Amino acid sequence: MFQPQTYAVALSLMLITMVCWGSWANTMKLCPGYRFQLFYWDYVIGLILAALIWGFTLGSMGGVGRPFLADLLAADSSHIGLAVTGGILFNVANLLLVAAIEIAGLAVAFPVGIGLALIVGAISSYIISPSGNALMLFGGIALVVGAIVLDAMAYRLRETERRSLSMRGFVICLAAGLLMGSFYPFVSRSMLGEGAPGPYAVAMFFSIGVALCAAPFNYLLMRKPLDKSEPVSMSGYSSARGSWHLWGILGGVIWCTGATLNFVASRAHIVGPAVSYSIGQGATMISAAWGVFIWKEFATAPARAKTYLFWMFVLFLCGLSAIALAPIY
């Protein structure tokens, strides 16, 4: 399989992850009227498709480890279970985060959900496999969390309708953040130990975990949406436009491409999972950049919101630089 041999290549893979994780949601914007629960079925198809594509290409090239198919067959049940569990946790977290955004708005869901996920994921991954300068790593993470808070403050000023934060909404935000931060350590552990599968096989098992969890959990949220909106029927899936299905699948392909490359980068000895995950979670800023420069979400926002956005990008770039330098200092 392909495995980066230099830090420059590994860093490039992590930056691609950040772009992918921060960009896949654009495909949702191209499906107006397509409820997220229905979009999610296509998204899961895209995850599995991308895991297979990368497995049979990069996962079957190079001179490191076993090729993709052999790796899948050689994996033992304990490592498979860890990767599948990571997929299950991610799936629940992803669906809860969307519900949290619907209930509490981006201004609350992002700093609570994504900020907590970044802290939990980075600390737990570092404990499992410590690598890099801890001061630079966690200092950089603190700056990125600060950038997420500024992003949320900017969205808060832009909102025309202020939503009050109910205890229910706050609990969902917390649950989403804790689960989103918990999935990565399971993925990291699945690639450690004697006979552990490589990152491409782990991406496949992870995607299977997402699919196994999505079947009951997403269907439950279709029948009983957490934001108390109208239930969603599967008839809406079959009657949706063909282009909406394609955009949903592409969204899954984009996210899984980022995840696979992130898993690959985390296996590079000099990087480690804490750095890999932390840079990937910089996706929040990429998502904000799409909103600001492409979708013009802040065109009519007050000047103070734009000031927050400026300092958000400054903190993000400083934090990202610190995290990227942590493995080599």
Side-chain angles (χ1 to χ4, degrees):
M1 70 184 77
F2 167 77
Q3 190 71 42
Q5 301 301 311
T6 66
Y7 180 62
V9 175
L11 179 60
S12 298
L13 297 184
M14 291 185 285
L15 292 176
I16 292 172
T17 293
M18 187 174 66
V19 172
C20 288
W21 283 359
S23 301
W24 75 266
N26 289 313
T27 58
M28 290 176 56
K29 291 181 177 287
L30 299 171
C31 307
Y34 198 28
R35 293 283 292 273
F36 178 76
Q37 293 94 330
L38 299 177
F39 175 94
Y40 204 74
W41 297 121
D42 293 317
Y43 172 82
V44 171
I45 293 171
L47 290 181
I48 295 173
L49 180 62
L52 289 170
I53 290 171
W54 291 113
F56 284 112
T57 52
L58 291 182
S60 301
M61 302 175 181
V64 178
R66 296 181 293 260
F68 179 59
L69 273 180
D71 213 17
L72 288 176
L73 295 173
D76 60 47
S77 58
S78 62
H79 289 98
I80 293 173
L82 288 167
V84 170
T85 301
I88 290 172
L89 291 174
F90 167 77
N91 179 71
V92 176
N94 210 24
L95 291 170
L96 287 179
L97 183 61
V98 171
I101 291 170
E102 291 295 324
I103 294 170
L106 282 170
V108 173
F110 263 51
V112 176
I114 300 300
L116 183 59
L118 176 57
I119 294 169
V120 171
I123 292 176
S124 55
S125 295
Y126 189 83
I127 291 173
I128 291 171
S129 181
S131 180
N133 185 305
L135 181 61
M136 294 190 72
L137 172 62
F138 290 106
I141 290 170
L143 290 173
V144 172
V145 171
I148 292 172
V149 172
L150 287 176
D151 181 44
M153 291 169 67
Y155 270 102
R156 187 69 170 171
L157 286 174
R158 192 205 64 169
E159 288 180 355
T160 56
E161 178 186 350
R162 295 293 180 93
R163 279 177 266 193
S164 60
L165 178 60
S166 65
M167 180 57 67
R168 181 165 164 271
F170 184 68
V171 169
I172 293 173
C173 288
L174 283 178
L178 287 171
L179 290 171
M180 188 65 77
S182 299
F183 89 84
Y184 204 87
F186 281 91
V187 170
S188 299
R189 288 288 299 275
S190 72
M191 293 184 284
L192 296 176
E194 186 177 350
Y200 303 95
V202 165
M204 187 72 248
F205 294 131
F206 174 89
S207 299
I208 291 171
V210 173
L212 290 174
C213 179
F217 194 68
N218 190 38
Y219 183 74
L220 176 65
L221 293 184
M222 288 176 62
R223 306 309 302 162
K224 297 182 180 297
L226 291 176
D227 60 355
K228 297 185 178 180
S229 58
E230 290 296 317
V232 185
S233 170
M234 278 303 295
S235 61
Y237 182 82
S238 57
S239 62
R241 298 176 186 175
S243 61
W244 290 357
H245 292 300
L246 290 175
W247 284 122
I249 292 170
L250 180 61
V253 167
I254 292 171
W255 193 93
C256 190
T257 294
T260 303
L261 297 182
N262 192 271
F263 299 167
V264 172
S266 73
R267 285 291 299 271
H269 178 69
I270 195 174
V271 175
V275 171
S276 186
Y277 178 76
S278 300
I279 290 181
Q281 283 296 71
T284 303
M285 304 304 110
I286 300 298
S287 178
W290 279 102
V292 172
F293 300 112
I294 304 301
W295 300 109
K296 307 297 182 184
E297 292 177 351
F298 289 86
T300 59
R304 194 148 58 103
K306 296 175 182 177
T307 301
Y308 287 152
L309 288 172
F310 170 78
W311 286 109
M312 174 201 75
F313 285 117
V314 170
L315 285 184
F316 169 63
L317 290 173
C318 292
L320 181 65
S321 298
I323 295 169
L325 292 172
I328 55 179
Y329 282 95

